[in-house]
C-alpha cells in the first residue's frame, strides 16, 4: 500500500542528526528549509529503504547557493 501522508515528522538535534523508528518499507525523506532563514535550500527528496531489525542511514546535504 502506498501513501503520500507523512509517516513521521522529526526535527534534527543541534548536531543535525535525527532518529526515527519506522516499519520496514520504502520511505521518502523530505527536508524542509530552516525556519526564518532564506538559506540553506533543502535538497531534493531522498528515498530510503528500511529493512526489518536494521538501521538505515541517510545523509542530507543542504546547498547554500554560494559559489
Amino acid at each position: 500500500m502506498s501513501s503520500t501522508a507523512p509517516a513521521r515528522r522529526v526535527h534534527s538535534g543541534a548536531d543535525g542528526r535525527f532518529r526515527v523508528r519506522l516499519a520496514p518499507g520504502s520511505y521518502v525523506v523530505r527536508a524542509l528549509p530552516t525556519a526564518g532563514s532564506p538559506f540553506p535550500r533543502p535538497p531534493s527528496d531522498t528515498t530510503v529503504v528500511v529493512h526489518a531489525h536494521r538501521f538505515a542511514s541517510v545523509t542530507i546535504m543542504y546547498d547554500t547557493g554560494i559559489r
Side-chain angles (χ1 to χ4, degrees):
M1 183 170 132
S2 177
S3 173
T4 58
R8 298 282 194 283
R9 290 181 185 259
V10 297
H11 294 272
S12 64
D15 63 357
R17 294 175 186 248
F18 66 93
R19 183 180 291 185
V20 60
R21 290 181 183 258
L22 296 167
S26 181
Y27 295 88
V28 174
V29 177
R30 177 170 292 153
L32 300 176
T34 304
S37 175
F39 58 90
R41 296 179 296 204
S44 58
D45 296 346
T46 303
T47 301
V48 179
V49 177
V50 177
H51 298 280
H53 310 292
R54 298 188 60 197
F55 288 103
S57 179
V58 60
T59 300
I60 299 170
M61 302 295 289
Y62 275 75
D63 181 3
T64 64
I66 298 171
R67 303 279 183 259

